[in-house]
Amino acid sequence: MADLSVKIAGVEFSNPVIAASGTFGNGECYTDLYPISKLGGISCKGMTIEPKQGNPPPRIAETYSGILNSVGLQNIGVRGFIDYYLPTLKQDGNVIIANVSGATIEDYVRAAELLDQSDVDMIELNISCPNVKAGGATWGISCDGAASVTREVRKATKKPLIVKLTPNVTDITEIAKAVESEGADAISMINTLLGMRIDIRTRRPILRNNMGGLSGPAVFPVAVRMVRQCYKAVSLPIIGMGGISTWEDAVEIMLAGASAVQMGTAIFTDPYSPLKVIDGLAGYMDKNGIKSLSEIVGQCQEW
Amino acid sequence: MYFCEKYPVVEKRELADGIYSVVVNAPNAAKAAAAGQFANIGVPGFTLRRPISICGIDKERGTLRFVFEVRGKGTAELAKISEGDELDILAPLGNGFSIPETGRIIAVGGGIGVPPMLEISVETCERCTAIIGFRDKSRIILAEDFERNGSEVHLCTDDGSAGQKGLVTFPLADELEKGDVAAVMACGPAVMLKSVAKMCEVYNVPCQVSLEQRMGCGVGACVVCSCLTVRNGKEMYSRVCKDGPVFNAEEVKFDG
């Protein structure tokens, strides 16, 4: 069997398939189907320094080839995560990524300080959540905002730092450059695209929060394009996500420039899809004589 | 314990216009299933699975029965399934009803909220009084199934075209008045559940309600199918899929 391992910011992953934040809980929900150690890693449910209630329902709407969500970062807080979920998660041996959000820079810093003392392997800064009024994407839509959060969190932790970017900007490469210059170790992209659906009978938005984040196969070409742009603009490793549901999608976004992938919405359609992608990648490597996935990263031959 | 597999359809019937009964051969899921749980069923061409309550569990035959109504494009696609085809099923999911071992049970169902109540009647037979309500005569489903289990059935229709005219809460009041009710269990429209819960509170009878919400994963991971609940005096969003779909009525904030 092919060697699927990848290394990002000094962290070794047994394979490049990571469950995306907010789609896999904290690893506890799918254990009836398979051990989560089969995945390369898990990006845990987005957490904030204090517990958060989230937005009122409905929080999900189906779209053509995708979904809108407006969960609004419901979570039990960083301390709850560390005490309640992390010990079990660490037993499974794969890479544990803590996904962190905040309303203020202080929130991010306090969360990072606590996580710095914990067993998590990496921290993923979510400066791209479209579903909260304060913080979230407001940090990720300007170079200054993205740079200052990254700078302050960088001072607060020695853990490898991934910054998760929002696609809801004019030029994502400018944001990528800003976080690179402030000490990010990697970027993950793309978070969801802001969208909206309206019930034509009631004339009400389907989501109680009116708007929400679009994910699923519908956004995949946008993700590929943005990964490609950032691959050319910065030298940071990129974790690609946005609508990946097959191994072919994974290969495609890696050719664009991603060193690893996250899968989310596809898990709702088929909980086994991450394992199918892992198997498919192994078959692809064997068939094409690829010894390491690093051989294909960014190897798209543009016209 | 839940499973995610493709199970063959062994029986399909249309019970009323646009309401279908589908039985699948799913021995492992049937063995694990309990009354009030649900399945998240994959529909080709759609990103999201469709949450459908379990209407019947036959552990000996190894089958699960689902009764669903065509509500949109996804369920319309699901309704095209034929005997012999396979259904992509994630089940059994969620917390079902906790059925007291003794005493009288009242199962209240409204419309497409009736199917998840049937298994209660299978388990409690003569102990169960079923109060089932429908819009009109043409929408009636499963009434004989409850009778076959030996349960007393109160049939209601909004327009009086069959059974008693009016809401399920009228016969419910009579039954509660008789006393000696161990528990009331209900599934149906939110307004119905709210009224049922309020009446049970007045009569001081424990009430369990099965809730519905737009759902994502079905297994508690994505936290989209939330409902407002009060636990330990604190308001919080619970997950319909994992913490429910059946909740103790006193925990639920129906206007949340």
Side-chain angles (χ1 to χ4, degrees), chain A residues 29 32 56 59 62 66 269, chain B residues 2 47-50 223 226 237:
Chain A
C29 301
D32 280 5
R59 294 175 171 181
E62 198 171 36
T269 315
Chain B
Y2 68 83
T47 305
L48 292 178
R49 292 167 172 267
R50 266 51 185 173
V223 221
S226 51
Y237 284 119

Side-chain angles (χ1 to χ4, degrees), chain A residues 21-45:
Chain A
S21 179
T23 63
F24 211 73
N26 289 304
E28 78 284 18
C29 301
Y30 286 101
T31 48
D32 280 5
L33 298 184
Y34 49 86
I36 53 173
S37 55
K38 291 207 171 203
L39 303 176
I42 298 176
S43 180
C44 298
K45 169 66 191 157

Side-chain angles (χ1 to χ4, degrees), chain B residues 46-129:
Chain B
F46 290 81
T47 305
L48 292 178
R49 292 167 172 267
R50 266 51 185 173
I52 312 264
S53 63
I54 295 173
C55 171
I57 305 162
D58 189 329
K59 291 182 196 284
E60 275 172 32
R61 276 175 67 210
T63 58
L64 287 178
R65 180 188 188 190
F66 302 99
V67 170
F68 66 93
E69 182 173 26
V70 173
R71 287 271 184 90
K73 290 174 189 162
T75 39
E77 187 62 34
L78 197 58
K80 290 181 188 162
I81 196 104
S82 306
E83 285 173 18
D85 291 348
E86 288 187 323
L87 266 185
D88 174 11
I89 293 176
L90 190 59
L93 303 174
N95 291 315
F97 294 104
S98 45
I99 303 172
E101 288 186 11
T102 55
R104 207 152 69 87
I105 309 292
I106 303 180
V108 186
I112 203 62
V114 170
M117 311 314 293
L118 185 58
E119 196 55 31
I120 297 171
S121 135
V122 170
E123 285 184 30
T124 57
C125 309
E126 294 85 6
R127 281 204 288 136
C128 174
T129 301

Side-chain angles (χ1 to χ4, degrees), chain A:
Chain A
M1 169 120 167
D3 175 11
L4 286 157
S5 66
V6 297
K7 205 171 190 178
I8 292 168
V11 178
E12 191 92 40
F13 292 76
S14 60
N15 67 66
V17 179
I18 303 163
S21 179
T23 63
F24 211 73
N26 289 304
E28 78 284 18
C29 301
Y30 286 101
T31 48
D32 280 5
L33 298 184
Y34 49 86
I36 53 173
S37 55
K38 291 207 171 203
L39 303 176
I42 298 176
S43 180
C44 298
K45 169 66 191 157
M47 62 190 87
T48 47
I49 187 70
E50 301 300 337
K52 210 163 154 50
Q53 201 182 29
N55 291 326
R59 294 175 171 181
I60 190 165
E62 198 171 36
T63 70
Y64 290 112
S65 290
I67 53 172
L68 291 172
N69 90 80
S70 60
V71 174
L73 294 172
Q74 177 175 342
N75 78 98
I76 61 167
V78 175
R79 287 177 198 86
F81 167 78
I82 291 172
D83 293 343
Y84 185 68
Y85 288 112
L86 191 55
T88 323
L89 270 170
K90 279 305 286 182
Q91 288 168 10
D92 289 292
N94 47 356
V95 177
I96 306 304
I97 303 171
N99 180 288
V100 175
S101 277
T104 65
I105 290 192
E106 288 67 39
D107 290 349
Y108 281 99
V109 169
R110 283 170 61 209
E113 283 169 351
L114 283 178
L115 289 163
D116 187 65
Q117 302 302 312
S118 78
D119 283 336
V120 302
D121 297 297
M122 307 178 91
I123 295 175
E124 182 177 55
L125 277 189
N126 180 359
I127 55 166
S128 43
C129 176
N131 294 321
V132 287
K133 284 195 182 76
T138 53
W139 295 109
I141 54 169
S142 78
C143 291
D144 285 350
S148 45
V149 175
T150 309
R151 185 188 316 128
E152 297 308 316
V153 172
R154 178 73 288 170
K155 289 181 203 158
T157 179
K158 291 193 165 53
K159 300 270 185 196
L161 191 60
I162 307 164
V163 181
K164 184 168 178 177
L165 305 184
T166 173
N168 303 310
V169 293
T170 310
D171 184 355
I172 198 165
T173 65
E174 292 301 320
I175 312 286
K177 286 180 202 162
V179 303
E180 179 176 47
S181 68
E182 296 298 344
D185 297 304
I187 49 177
S188 57
M189 57 190 290
I190 55 176
N191 205 320
T192 54
L193 286 122
L194 196 58
M196 184 171 186
R197 290 210 61 197
I198 299 164
D199 184 324
I200 61 163
R201 289 171 296 113
T202 61
R203 300 188 176 187
R204 289 273 204 187
I206 293 174
L207 298 176
R208 185 67 174 71
N209 195 45
N210 297 319
M211 293 186 279
L214 179 65
S215 62
V219 311
F220 179 66
V222 180
V224 172
R225 183 264 293 182
M226 289 189 160
V227 164
R228 184 65 183 167
Q229 288 177 311
C230 287
Y231 177 76
K232 295 203 283 189
V234 296
S235 53
L236 294 177
I238 298 169
I239 300 171
M241 81 187 93
I244 296 167
S245 42
T246 64
W247 68 265
E248 290 94 334
D249 296 340
V251 170
E252 187 173 337
I253 206 161
M254 292 180 99
L255 287 170
S259 298
V261 299
Q262 289 189 8
M263 292 179 65
T265 306
I267 299 171
F268 302 163
T269 315
D270 176 7
Y272 287 108
S273 58
L275 304 192
K276 291 175 184 169
V277 169
I278 294 165
D279 287 346
L281 283 173
Y284 166 78
M285 290 174 76
D286 287 342
K287 195 175 169 197
N288 293 282
I290 295 165
K291 296 274 183 295
S292 163
L293 283 168
S294 60
E295 292 171 34
I296 67 164
V297 174
Q299 294 310 304
C300 160
Q301 302 295 310
E302 287 193 38
W303 298 103

Side-chain angles (χ1 to χ4, degrees), chain B residues 167-169 188-198 211 254-255:
Chain B
L167 303 173
V168 289
T169 40
V191 280
M192 182 200 101
L193 294 181
K194 194 179 164 184
S195 310
V196 170
K198 200 170 263 176
L211 302 183
F254 286 98
D255 300 317

